[in-house]
Amino acid sequence: MTFIAALLSSTQFAMAGIRPGAVWPDNRGIHINAHGGGVLRCGDTFYWFGEHKADTTSSAMVGVTCYSSKDLEHWTYRGVALKVSYAKGSDIERGCILERPKVIYNKKTGKYVMWFHLELKGQGYAAARYGVAVADKPEGPYTFLRSGRVNPGIWPVNLANPDTTALTEAMNRKPELQWWTPEWMEYIKQGMLTWRDYDGGQMARDQTVYVDDDGKAYHIYSSEENLTLQIAELTDDYTAHTGRYVRVAPGGQNEAPAIFKHNGTYWMITSGCTGWAPNKARMFKASSIFGPWEQLPTPCVGPDADKTFGGQSTYVLQLGDNFVFMADIWRPEHPSDARYIWLPITFADGVPVVKWTDEWDITSLLKNR
Ligand code: GAL
């Protein structure tokens, strides 16, 4: 009996409602294994996609898992939506790092499009690529299309004409120009790393994808050594970048972006950069997805709010006028035992609030969605 199965035998079927941080059994009684994920709604069915985590490694040994539910509380395992490859040298070779998968549906093509963060096998976090895959059905199987860096040879729209001579000089001043000095930060803000990666394309690590009301989709990712977020418009079929993109909070070190729109305002919840360890969530707002984005304090309230309740944001699920904040409590020593925080988002004077609660009823949000 595995550790999780043993734990479940004592807690099975005791669950009522959503219990953030608790073991969350699927229809087989096995703790849901879909980390760093997101949820896609198709009619009256929800599909939850996430990273399959093994017991002893955070590398991808299986792929992206899929679960479905009609009430958001009871989830049925639907199998591996995107399988890692056993072919040596494949971009998604078993043992690569494949994180934060999100799926969006393209009405024009009728395809389900999955985006994720990909690190090539054996290279740690150096590759910093996006990956994209497509399927005809929400649960897959997904066919891997390609991986890469974002928008090579193109400047962001909010960094149109940088002084590349000065930026090249600054880059060449290594090691004199030390990281984290005010001067270095100034060059980061001016686009030193955007310029460094200009030819090969922008780095893409922690990520999400978002479909706006007008059907346009965007890829939002940590770039520039995780110092700066970027938001890049996707093509009409959602499988590539158009070349239009912006930088957000240069030098702000934001990861784990989760975005939503309420009454015409875009909100984004992010984390700082402390690896698997939790830190204080940040929040941003904008009236246009391309910014300018304004930073606000953490939306979290309650015990351990300054550590995002021990979690790290991954997604915000919209249910009509209601929103659910989703985060991961990572367990790097036992990755498959990582837990989920799902909490309702409320609004105080129009500003999102994520308040801790031990247990809550998500089905009430479904009634008026
Ligand atoms: C986190 C990131 C995770 C994972 C981890 C690795 O900051 O959000 O997705 O990449 O670092 O240490």
Side-chain angles (χ1 to χ4, degrees), residues 36 51 53 58 97-100 117 119 125 205-207 222 226 255-257 271-277 279 312-313 328 330 332:
E51 305 158 26
K53 290 267 190 227
S58 289
I97 294 171
L98 199 167
E99 294 180 335
R100 299 187 175 273
H117 165 205
E119 298 292 348
Y125 278 84
R205 292 204 182 107
D206 277 15
Q207 65 109 50
S222 292
N226 299 350
E255 285 195 323
S271 75
C273 293
T274 52
W276 302 116
N279 56 54
Q312 186 182 27
S313 44
D328 298 280
W330 301 114

Side-chain angles (χ1 to χ4, degrees), residues 270-286:
T270 67
S271 75
C273 293
T274 52
W276 302 116
N279 56 54
K280 192 179 196 166
R282 296 95 177 270
M283 186 162 64
F284 295 83
K285 75 169 189 177

Side-chain angles (χ1 to χ4, degrees), residues 293-304:
W293 287 85
E294 178 194 339
Q295 188 164 355
L296 289 93
T298 176
C300 300
V301 174
D304 238 3

Side-chain angles (χ1 to χ4, degrees), residues 100-102 113-116 130-132 207 209 234 238-239 241:
R100 299 187 175 273
K102 306 287 178 302
V113 186
M114 180 187 289
W115 284 77
F116 51 91
Y130 71 83
V132 60
Q207 65 109 50
V209 277
L234 298 182
Y238 299 168
T239 66
H241 301 99

Side-chain angles (χ1 to χ4, degrees), residues 148-156 164 168 171 191-203 245:
R149 289 204 171 173
V150 183
N151 288 330
I154 303 172
W155 287 113
T164 51
T168 303
M171 264 176 343
M192 182 167 69
L193 298 181
T194 329
W195 174 225
R196 184 197 68 183
D197 294 338
Y198 180 84
D199 287 338
Q202 301 297 309
M203 295 177 117
Y245 71 110

